[in-house]
Amino acid sequence: MTVSDKLVEKLLKLDIFSSLSPVMLKTALSCDETYVIDYKRGETIYSSDCFRYSVGFIIKGGAKVFKSENGVIISKLSENSVFGCAALFSGKDHFVNQIVATKDTRVFYIDKSVILKLMQSDPTFSVSYIRYLSDRILFLNKRIVNFTGGTAESRLANYLLSCFADYKTYELDRSMSQLAVSLDIGRASLYRAFDALEAGNAVERDGKYIRLIDKDALKSFIQ
């Protein structure tokens, strides 16, 4: 496909592509190995059985990334976010996590062959790519510590903060028992943690709906 100057401009604002010149990037991307796919809200973008060797760039919309086995949200993807960079060279034919569109979303895909050509043409791009992967490793390590360490209140607060990234109200997409398993705490401890967060005027719970009252109050529960 032929990419627009506007799309090239957006990509150049990302650290991973910032070392490239506009002409080089547009020339590399204007080929048959780049394409666009539209997703409806709730549709799976990547999963263990839905995977492509491409880097994805969200042109519009958004998505959430979560662990397939327990549903813990790892991160949120918004407009101008990229994904699939680490899996591109993993050598595996599946994606370890799941990415689901949280709204109608358009994704621009860049095939692995295009990324390889850019690396061969400009070594500084390779360095930028590696730096991006290193930053992702540090971020994910921090997320793992947040979700698996500390008190039940701390784990729940961390989880809810990731859920409230885009909205003030969040509808739990699993049962309390499933959420307890995801956070590796007992069901009774989970209920007590919710009570503590509500007593601290951080959130308000109405069945499956959790409303954010005070973000700073919620952060105060994180150890």
Side-chain angles (χ1 to χ4, degrees), residues 156-177:
L156 178 59
N158 261 303
Y159 173 78
L160 292 178
L161 276 173
S162 68
C163 298
F164 288 131
D166 296 323
Y167 310 100
K168 291 292 185 181
T169 300
Y170 173 66
E171 181 182 3
L172 288 175
D173 56 1
R174 69 206 69 187
S175 69
M176 294 293 279
S177 295

Side-chain angles (χ1 to χ4, degrees), residues 116-131:
L116 284 172
K117 288 178 183 177
L118 284 170
M119 288 180 170
Q120 293 166 355
S121 301
D122 189 338
T124 59
F125 172 68
S126 300
V127 175
S128 297
Y129 199 97
I130 294 171
R131 184 182 298 115

Side-chain angles (χ1 to χ4, degrees), residues 164-201:
F164 288 131
D166 296 323
Y167 310 100
K168 291 292 185 181
T169 300
Y170 173 66
E171 181 182 3
L172 288 175
D173 56 1
R174 69 206 69 187
S175 69
M176 294 293 279
S177 295
Q178 291 171 325
L179 179 56
V181 172
S182 298
L183 299 178
D184 194 25
I185 58 178
R187 194 166 181 266
S189 296
L190 177 59
Y191 277 105
R192 287 195 294 270
F194 264 118
D195 289 341
L197 267 55
E198 289 187 273
N201 294 316

Side-chain angles (χ1 to χ4, degrees), residues 7-219:
L7 178 56
V8 171
E9 183 180 347
K10 286 184 175 182
L11 289 169
L12 287 172
K13 290 180 180 179
L14 301 177
D15 289 340
I16 194 171
F17 294 110
S18 62
S19 65
L20 300 170
S21 70
V23 173
M24 176 181 286
L25 184 57
K26 184 173 183 177
T27 300
L29 298 182
S30 296
C31 62
D32 293 336
E33 286 74 39
T34 59
Y35 49 96
V36 170
I37 297 180
D38 290 313
Y39 300 91
K40 294 294 185 181
R41 178 183 178 185
E43 282 192 311
T44 297
I45 297 175
Y46 269 12
S47 68
S48 58
D49 56 358
C50 178
F51 171 73
R52 61 190 78 242
Y53 285 107
S54 302
V55 170
F57 174 76
I58 296 183
I59 297 175
K60 68 173 184 178
K64 62 180 179 180
V65 184
F66 57 90
K67 298 293 292 181
S68 301
E69 62 269 21
N70 56 21
V72 169
I73 297 175
I74 298 174
S75 63
K76 294 287 186 72
L77 300 174
S78 57
E79 187 175 314
N80 300 329
S81 294
V82 292
F83 62 88
C85 297
L88 195 64
F89 298 101
S90 68
K92 300 183 182 299
D93 59 356
H94 64 277
F95 198 64
V96 295
N97 299 318
Q98 188 168 5
I99 303 178
V100 175
T102 54
K103 58 186 78 173
D104 290 351
T105 299
R106 173 167 291 179
V107 179
F108 173 67
Y109 286 103
I110 306 171
D111 190 79
K112 180 179 180 179
S113 60
V114 177
I115 297 297
L116 284 172
K117 288 178 183 177
L118 284 170
M119 288 180 170
Q120 293 166 355
S121 301
D122 189 338
T124 59
F125 172 68
S126 300
V127 175
S128 297
Y129 199 97
I130 294 171
R131 184 182 298 115
Y132 171 81
L133 295 181
S134 298
D135 289 342
R136 291 300 299 169
I137 291 172
L138 292 174
F139 169 79
L140 293 175
N141 282 341
K142 183 178 179 180
R143 297 291 284 178
I144 290 171
V145 171
N146 288 341
F147 281 131
T148 59
T151 64
E153 291 84 357
S154 178
R155 298 185 193 192
L156 178 59
N158 261 303
Y159 173 78
L160 292 178
L161 276 173
S162 68
C163 298
F164 288 131
D166 296 323
Y167 310 100
K168 291 292 185 181
T169 300
Y170 173 66
E171 181 182 3
L172 288 175
D173 56 1
R174 69 206 69 187
S175 69
M176 294 293 279
S177 295
Q178 291 171 325
L179 179 56
V181 172
S182 298
L183 299 178
D184 194 25
I185 58 178
R187 194 166 181 266
S189 296
L190 177 59
Y191 277 105
R192 287 195 294 270
F194 264 118
D195 289 341
L197 267 55
E198 289 187 273
N201 294 316
V203 300
E204 182 178 68
R205 185 164 61 95
D206 182 13
K208 281 194 170 185
Y209 292 93
I210 314 298
R211 184 170 68 89
L212 176 63
I213 298 175
D214 189 326
K215 190 172 186 178
D216 288 334
L218 186 58
K219 287 181 177 179

